[in-house]
Amino acid sequence: MTIRELADKGIFKVVCAGDDTDREISGVFCCDLLSVVMGRGKADAAWVTVMGNINSLAVLSLTDMACIVLAEGAQMDAVGIARAETQGFTIFATDQPIFETAMQIQALLDA
Amino acid sequence: MSDAIVLKYDVPGDDFTRAGEASSDIKQKLRKMGIPPEAIRKVAISMYEGEINMVIHAHGGQITVEITPEDVDMLLEDHGPGIADIEQAMQAGFSTAPEDVRGLGFGAGMGLPNMKKYSDEFSIESEVGVGTTVHMKVRF
Ligand SMILES: Nc1ncnc2c1ncn2[C@@H]1O[C@H](COP(=O)(O)OP(=O)(O)OP(=O)(O)O)[C@@H](O)[C@H]1O
Ligand SMILES: [Mg+2]
């Protein structure tokens, strides 16, 4: 499933569409502690987190994950949105809890 | 060493909007040079953790990166408070990160363990009241 295909499902709010929407998502990763994510985040994963700030964008980019999915109604702050827009990162958001959000994405990947 | 590229970065202290810039820049450069992705990942992790530690714990510092055809050498120097007990600081889970910084996602106490794990050579020297120097190398 590509980033665009996930966006088109309409299950998550698209906060920033991003530039690389043809990119394939492979896997889901959940964690909010940035240095754990740094050490374990897998390239091309959808990263489900509540951390919506400039630092989570740095971690997204350095680990080559595909996109951020903000769960639990968490929001990306204004500085983060501006950065995501200039750098072309994809950010989704949902009010669902982290586990349910991750399961939703995994189910789509398995389909 | 005519083949070496030397890059210097000033890391501003306590400025989280710029934290990670040096690591991101190095990552981009290595990518353009066609360095294997696994080596780039190791450099990105090691350097980001070191850079962030300077921002959070040491009011900033300086990073010198030397890229050769064989490896990337990273020297991180700061004049922050220093580390009293390095062995304790190296333990997974140990952190003195203040509450506000934890709210941003830092403070797992995994930064130094990540740096050691993902670099091929790692050394740290620190003196309380003087500062901290971290030296890391990642081979291609
Ligand atoms: N450059 C530094 N100057 C002073 N103290 C440092 C420095 N780097 C690390 N420390 C000390 O070592 C501790 C452990 O560092 P480490 O990077 O492993 O964890 P952390 O920065 O607290 O959290 P995390 O990196 O997981 O977000 C820090 O909490 C801090 O007390
Ligand atoms: Mg750290």
Side-chain angles (χ1 to χ4, degrees):
Chain A
M1 176 172 61
T2 64
I3 289 175
R4 188 198 319 274
E5 285 163 351
L6 178 56
D8 288 347
K9 301 280 179 203
I11 54 172
F12 301 138
K13 184 177 160 221
V14 179
V15 181
C16 295
D19 288 346
D20 198 3
T21 50
D22 288 329
R23 183 167 173 182
E24 278 292 327
I25 297 171
S26 58
V28 191
F29 186 80
C30 306
C31 186
D32 299 320
L33 297 168
L34 299 183
S35 55
V36 175
V37 183
M38 260 330 271
R40 288 194 190 271
K42 293 260 188 310
D44 302 316
W47 175 25
V48 184
T49 179
V50 296
M51 286 299 165
N53 58 50
I54 195 109
N55 305 294
S56 43
L57 292 177
V59 170
L60 173 77
S61 153
L62 288 166
T63 54
D64 281 323
M65 288 189 287
C67 58
I68 288 182
V69 184
L70 290 168
E72 299 276 6
Q75 295 187 351
M76 181 59 65
D77 62 25
V79 182
I81 288 183
R83 175 72 61 93
E85 268 161 10
T86 46
Q87 308 243 26
F89 299 136
T90 302
I91 303 169
F92 296 106
T94 174
D95 289 333
Q96 294 289 313
I98 288 186
F99 180 76
E100 279 75 3
T101 305
M103 288 297 283
Q104 261 182 313
I105 302 169
Q106 189 61 51
L108 291 169
L109 290 174
D110 290 338
Chain B
M1 286 295 284
S2 57
D3 285 342
I5 301 168
V6 178
L7 300 150
K8 282 186 192 290
Y9 298 90
D10 273 312
V11 178
D14 309 291
D15 182 357
F16 291 101
T17 60
R18 290 190 52 199
E21 274 183 11
S23 327
S24 300
D25 187 65
I26 287 291
K27 187 184 170 195
Q28 260 173 357
K29 287 197 163 72
L30 294 176
R31 222 185 226 171
K32 285 204 185 106
M33 293 166 74
I35 302 301
E38 192 44 38
I40 297 181
R41 177 177 143 81
K42 288 165 68 176
V43 172
I45 295 171
S46 315
M47 189 156 149
Y48 178 75
E49 296 290 7
E51 186 179 353
I52 284 292
N53 278 356
M54 283 182 164
V55 176
I56 296 179
H57 306 294
H59 312 297
Q62 258 222 332
I63 306 179
T64 309
V65 182
E66 193 175 318
I67 307 171
T68 77
E70 293 85 37
D71 54 39
V72 177
D73 194 275
M74 295 162 271
L75 186 67
L76 295 86
E77 297 165 292
D78 70 59
H79 302 287
I83 302 169
D85 185 342
I86 290 179
E87 204 180 310
Q88 183 185 44
M90 291 299 304
Q91 279 169 22
F94 177 82
S95 174
T96 62
E99 208 47 51
D100 58 331
V101 169
R102 287 176 193 263
L104 296 171
F106 300 109
M110 287 308 295
L112 286 169
N114 275 349
M115 288 155 77
K116 190 174 161 66
K117 178 173 171 194
Y118 287 101
S119 54
D120 296 308
E121 274 176 39
F122 173 89
S123 67
I124 178 166
E125 277 164 40
S126 191
E127 196 177 328
V128 173
V130 178
T132 301
T133 302
V134 176
H135 180 222
M136 296 181 287
K137 203 190 266 288
V138 170
R139 283 187 273 274
F140 301 148

